[in-house]
Amino acid sequence: MSVLVIAVLVMAEMTVQPASASDEPIAYTSYAKFPQPGGVDFPYFTTGKLYVSFPGFSNQCSASAITSENQSVLVTAGHCLYDFPSRTWGSNVMFVPAKYYGSEPLGRWTIWNISYINGFVNNDDRDRDIMFAVANRNASGQTLHSVTGAYGWTFNRADRDEEYHMMGYPGGAWGGERLMNCDSKYGGTVSQSAGDDGTMVGCDWIVGGASGGALLKKFSGTFAGYTNNQVGIIQGRLPHGQGAAATYFGNEALSAFNQVRNA
Amino acid sequence: MSTTLKARRVGWLVAMGILGFGLAAGVAMAGNGPALAPGGAPLPALPDPGAAPAVSIVTQSPEEVLAYWTPERMAEAERNAAPTVPPSGEGAQPETSSTTAPPPPEARATAPAGPVRPIPTVREQVDGAKSTGTVPSGPEVTAPAMKPVNNP
């Protein structure tokens, strides 16, 4: 029996290997396929709006579901959940995936757990402006990912000469009522504080509301291969129309993700 | 009992022990093995790089949170996220690709350290896009009407 179990595990392990050598360069620290979304339109319904209240004000950002064992993890920008100037955590956190004007086709989701990087909470380090949260099951007992699907992920990968995609809900003049996708090539790195450099992408519609949205590579509407890898989050915009700054998933983000992926 | 027989018994016991251990280990691995994504692929087990993340537990009940967000409060949160400032002209809103960017109402990030090669192509979400097995290409916009999705 043990032989059978081991054989099954070995076969299962083999399925994670890329289909071809060019499909997944070895330089990737780690990666994961997204799960089959089970009937919802993927990947457009994986990102949504995140509502958070603070004492005296409220805010809205973007967030995305990313693949995890518990099928419940979502990721956003740290500044969406924690107000550094007042050293205050947000409350009443609610995720509304695929929101489209007044339509909320995938419902509303609450969270019960947040994992963060100390460097952001303690020092407002914008290169560590990433937080992971675990969604509660909905009233029907479903996990978040079973309804929305989830992006795959890749840590420690911000390449030049590749195309990035940003998915979020920019507000202001852009309305904030529907998800927007920006395609752009790598624009260099930007060090916003000590530590890892952020990634600069030439998406110029990034305004409030898009913060916390997804920075993706290998964007695709297909389910085959290692597509739709989230490699970071939309963090902010650069001055003088130079595009957007993203905080990409590095080692500390990986460590934070590990805290909640099984929670 | 001969030494040879004793050795055989010891050897047999050792073999059974190994088999038993293997069985126990196999069962244990089956119970705690790599999680499988719904698509069947196991998620890779990642070594913890040793950073110091922390966890904050949310104590609010889902019912309390959901009751808090009235339409008015949601609208206020959206207004706070980004004040409405038309990019140019009156009330301009992007409905197609290749739109120009609105003026930056706020710059959170500092100036870039490296060269900038922005090649922006803005396009709206392709609502209701189907998974046809083809990779989207080019900046063309296809923005059909929203296709409602039933919450499964």
Side-chain angles (χ1 to χ4, degrees):
Chain A
M1 181 178 175
S2 59
V3 174
L4 177 61
V5 171
I6 292 171
V8 169
L9 290 174
V10 168
M11 290 175 65
E13 187 66 27
M14 288 173 63
T15 63
V16 81
Q17 298 302 317
S20 66
S22 62
D23 191 28
E24 195 66 24
I26 195 169
Y28 278 69
T29 298
S30 53
Y31 49 88
K33 279 184 173 178
F34 54 81
Q36 296 288 348
V40 298
D41 287 346
F42 186 88
Y44 303 105
F45 288 172
T46 305
T47 296
K49 299 177 89 166
L50 189 75
Y51 294 85
V52 187
S53 71
F54 295 90
F57 71 102
S58 58
N59 204 358
Q60 173 258 307
C61 285
S62 300
S64 302
I66 64 167
T67 300
S68 61
E69 285 85 347
N70 57 18
Q71 297 190 46
S72 300
V73 172
L74 58 94
V75 61
T76 187
H79 70 262
C80 296
L81 296 172
Y82 183 78
D83 182 52
F84 182 80
S86 63
R87 306 292 199 278
T88 305
W89 283 96
S91 59
N92 296 303
V93 180
M94 181 176 75
F95 179 53
V96 187
K99 194 172 187 301
Y100 180 87
Y101 294 92
S103 173
E104 300 173 6
L106 302 184
R108 299 180 174 188
W109 300 78
T110 59
I111 66 169
W112 69 271
N113 196 349
I114 299 170
S115 177
Y116 59 93
I117 303 171
N118 278 316
F120 174 75
V121 172
N122 294 335
N123 304 314
D124 197 23
D125 183 343
R126 294 173 185 179
D127 291 333
R128 291 166 175 80
D129 189 0
I130 297 171
M131 290 192 187
F132 299 89
V134 184
N136 290 304
R137 289 176 179 258
N138 65 9
S140 302
Q142 296 170 303
T143 63
L144 173 65
H145 297 183
S146 71
V147 174
T148 61
Y151 294 131
W153 39 253
T154 301
F155 290 86
N156 289 311
R157 193 68 187 268
D159 297 328
R160 291 169 171 76
D161 301 323
E162 283 201 45
E163 193 167 13
Y164 287 88
H165 302 265
M166 283 183 164
M167 306 281 278
Y169 284 82
W174 302 97
E177 296 289 352
R178 58 191 304 176
L179 182 64
M180 290 186 71
N181 166 32
C182 167
D183 307 338
S184 176
K185 287 206 170 180
Y186 178 85
T189 59
V190 51
S191 182
Q192 301 172 87
S193 56
D196 295 338
D197 286 344
T199 300
M200 183 165 51
V201 177
C203 296
D204 53 4
W205 51 253
I206 303 301
V207 294
S211 282
L215 177 70
L216 300 174
K217 289 175 69 172
K218 298 188 175 183
F219 179 76
S220 171
T222 73
F223 298 125
Y226 293 89
T227 55
N228 298 302
N229 282 320
Q230 185 162 355
V231 297
I233 56 96
I234 298 171
Q235 196 276 334
R237 59 180 293 135
L238 300 168
H240 314 303
Q242 291 173 306
T247 301
Y248 73 84
F249 295 165
N251 278 339
E252 290 174 270
L254 171 57
S255 189
F257 175 61
N258 284 340
Q259 295 285 316
V260 295
R261 59 191 295 182
N262 288 299
Chain B
M1 187 179 292
S2 69
T3 304
T4 305
L5 185 55
K6 281 185 179 176
R8 282 183 182 171
R9 283 192 175 178
V10 170
W12 184 82
L13 288 172
V14 169
M16 289 298 292
I18 292 174
L19 182 61
F21 177 78
L23 178 61
V27 171
M29 289 175 69
N32 300 295
L36 295 180
L43 301 180
L46 303 178
D48 196 303
V55 171
S56 174
I57 303 297
V58 177
T59 56
Q60 287 180 292
S61 71
E63 293 75 17
E64 179 186 356
V65 173
L66 295 176
Y68 175 85
W69 288 109
T70 61
E72 293 75 20
R73 283 174 168 158
M74 291 174 71
E76 179 188 1
E78 291 165 351
R79 284 194 300 271
N80 291 337
T84 300
V85 179
S88 61
E90 295 182 359
Q93 293 215 357
E95 289 296 336
T96 61
S97 63
S98 301
T99 52
T100 56
E106 179 186 12
R108 277 193 62 91
T110 55
V116 184
R117 296 185 293 112
I119 310 174
T121 301
V122 180
R123 68 184 186 193
E124 287 185 285
Q125 171 199 0
V126 184
D127 301 299
K130 289 296 185 184
S131 300
T132 58
T134 58
V135 179
S137 61
E140 69 276 7
V141 172
T142 55
M146 176 70 172
K147 175 182 176 297
V149 173
N150 295 324
N151 196 338

